[in-house]
Each structure stands twice: as structure tokens, then as C-alpha cells.
Amino acid sequence: MEGANGDGFDAVVFAGGGCRCFWQVGFWDVAAQVLRLRPRVVGGVSAGAAMACVLFGDAMADMLVDFKARVAANRRNLYPMNVFRGEPVFPHPRIYRDTILASLDATRLSRLHAGPDIRVLLALMPRWLGPRAGCLLGLATYHAERLRRPAPHAALGHQAGFETHVATVRECRTPTEVADLILHSSCTPPITPVYRRGSRAVLDGGLIDTAPLATIPASAGRTLVLLTRPFPPAAIPRHPARRYVQPSAPVPIHKWDYTSPERVQATYDLGRRDGEAFAREWHTRATA
């Protein structure tokens, strides 16, 4: 093993990906214990930020049970007839927020404050655009990014005029403020409402970078980057201070699928298997 942190990783990045991020949790549950992962700084975006918060708040077991119960009770990802009732068409924001608030209390918030510095990426809409036009630009940017060569890091958000904003969980005084920050980092209209951070409208920080290196100070040292979908080997950046880890197979759930506890569990289980494989590989290299 390298360095004071056992494995030598001083920072960890949790990529976004909605429900695919349950892979990160399964991976972490195994690898963190075996390799004694104790990062000083953690970066996250969207659901990756949520996973980081529940992991370092020691709330993951309760959150997994709670979320699976909520999605088991949710029949569909879209309720179009709710338009005529004045109710939300998408159930995701309510389930997402309620799960976070059920998982974090004052004690767990204190653990978050005492643990690594968890830094969350948001995309600020261009000042020259209103929220509606900003959402349309964000949607167009997202689809244009998908047409590019697959890569772990987004590139078009900055070019389209979106601004980087990094907030730290240590600034959140209540679990509600943590939930607000995570929802702001996950803002994806029309599935979610348009959120504001102060006076600025925000969108999912994944528009800036789906694996948010911008959250990690340059002085942080070696960084472990946890992705949420597999990429071709040629697409993974080569950097001496970074180690990228990705699912070994396509993740069995869509990022906005809030209907299947079975697929949530299967995603978590895939993460555990990959965490076990990573730990075996690391031990083999360390003892060679």
C-alpha cells in the first residue's frame, strides 16, 4: 500500500449518473474497507454528490432500504394525467428529496462536517439567458455531448456559456440545506423544476463535467475517480495522479428509473463485485 491513506488516494470523485450511482455505493462498501480509503477531499455532482453525502454521513444502509421502499411504491416514472390535477408529472424530485431528508439527521450532518471536505459541482446558467432559454440551451448541450465520442468528462457546457460553481457541504447548516444543494446539482428540467442558488438559476453540474475534477484542488494529490458507466479503454484519460474505475458491465438501471428496487439492488451488487475485483487487483500489485 502507498501513502498515509493506505491506498495513496487523497481525493475521490463521484461522477453523476442518477440511479447508476448505486454502483459507486456497492463499490465503496467493499473497496473502502479493504483498502482503508480515507480521502481528505471528495468531489461529487448530481446523484454522485448524494451518494458521497450518505456514505460519509454513515447513512448508506438506511438510505438504500428507504429508497428501495419508495420506488417499490412508485408505479411509473411519468404521470401525464397529473397535468390536469395541478400535480407534478414526474415523481423524481419528491422521492429524491424525501430520501435524502430521511437519511440525514443532525448527528449524521455532524459526521459530514467532521469528515472529508465534500465539494459539489453546479452549472450556473448564462447571465444573458432567462431560465427557459437556459434550460433549452442545457438540453441542447446535453444531447450534443452525447453525440460526441464517449468520454468521462464533459466539454461543451463551458463552451455554451455555463459557469462552474463549487459549493461545500460544510457550509450546509441543516439536512434541508444538504438536500437543496444536491437537488440543485441534479437540476434537470422538465424532470425537476428549475432551481436557484441565490439569485442564479442552476442546472445539473454534469453539464460542466460528469466526473467533476473541478471540485478537487490541484494540491489534493492522488485522486480516485468513480464513474457510473463503462467507457472504451481509449476514452479513459491517462494521468499519473488519477485512477479511473468504472463498472465492468453496463449498469442494469437507467439513471431516472424510480420504479424498480430490483434494478437498484442489482446495480449495487454489481458495484460490490467490482469493488472486490479492484481490491484483489490492488493487493496483488502491492505484494508483487
Side-chain angles (χ1 to χ4, degrees), residues 160-241:
F162 291 93
E163 299 175 31
T164 299
H165 178 72
V166 177
T168 176
V169 171
R170 288 178 176 173
E171 296 173 349
C172 296
R173 296 165 295 179
T174 65
T176 298
E177 290 187 4
V178 176
D180 287 343
L181 175 57
I182 291 170
L183 267 292
H184 294 173
S185 180
S186 308
C187 182
T188 312
I191 294 176
T192 72
V194 176
Y195 297 115
R196 288 185 175 273
R197 193 102 185 137
S199 63
R200 299 290 298 277
V202 298
L203 286 179
D204 191 313
L207 283 171
I208 303 294
D209 192 351
T210 50
L213 293 175
T215 59
I216 305 299
S219 60
R222 295 194 65 222
T223 300
L224 177 66
V225 182
L226 300 180
L227 304 176
T228 59
R229 62 188 180 100
F231 291 91
I236 302 298
R238 294 183 178 274
H239 191 286

Side-chain angles (χ1 to χ4, degrees), residues 4 9 16 22 24 73 95 98 112 131 140-141 152 155 186 229 235 239 247 249 273:
F9 293 118
F22 282 102
Q24 296 169 328
I95 294 174
D98 288 352
L112 285 180
T141 301
S186 308
R229 62 188 180 100
H239 191 286
R273 292 194 296 274

Side-chain angles (χ1 to χ4, degrees), residues 14 21-22 24-25 28-29 42 47-64 66-67 96-105 108-109 111-112 118 169 178-179 182:
F14 286 77
C21 294
F22 282 102
Q24 296 169 328
V25 175
W28 189 268
D29 273 356
V42 172
M51 299 306 170
C53 286
V54 294
L55 281 169
F56 290 99
D58 195 24
M60 193 58 239
D62 289 344
M63 190 278 267
L64 185 61
D66 182 86
F67 185 75
Y96 199 173
R97 180 182 292 276
D98 288 352
T99 300
I100 295 167
L101 292 176
S103 304
L104 295 178
D105 56 18
R108 285 170 169 168
L109 181 62
R111 291 180 188 144
L112 285 180
I118 300 176
V169 171
V178 176
I182 291 170

Side-chain angles (χ1 to χ4, degrees), residues 10-40:
D10 300 296
V12 178
V13 168
F14 286 77
C19 286
R20 296 197 309 261
C21 294
F22 282 102
W23 177 88
Q24 296 169 328
V25 175
F27 179 93
W28 189 268
D29 273 356
V30 174
Q33 294 183 41
V34 174
L35 303 180
R36 305 194 305 275
L37 296 172
R38 295 187 295 274
R40 293 193 294 266

Side-chain angles (χ1 to χ4, degrees), residues 78-91 94:
L78 178 69
Y79 295 85
M81 296 306 293
N82 280 1
V83 169
F84 304 104
R85 304 186 185 100
E87 298 176 3
V89 172
F90 295 96
R94 174 182 52 81

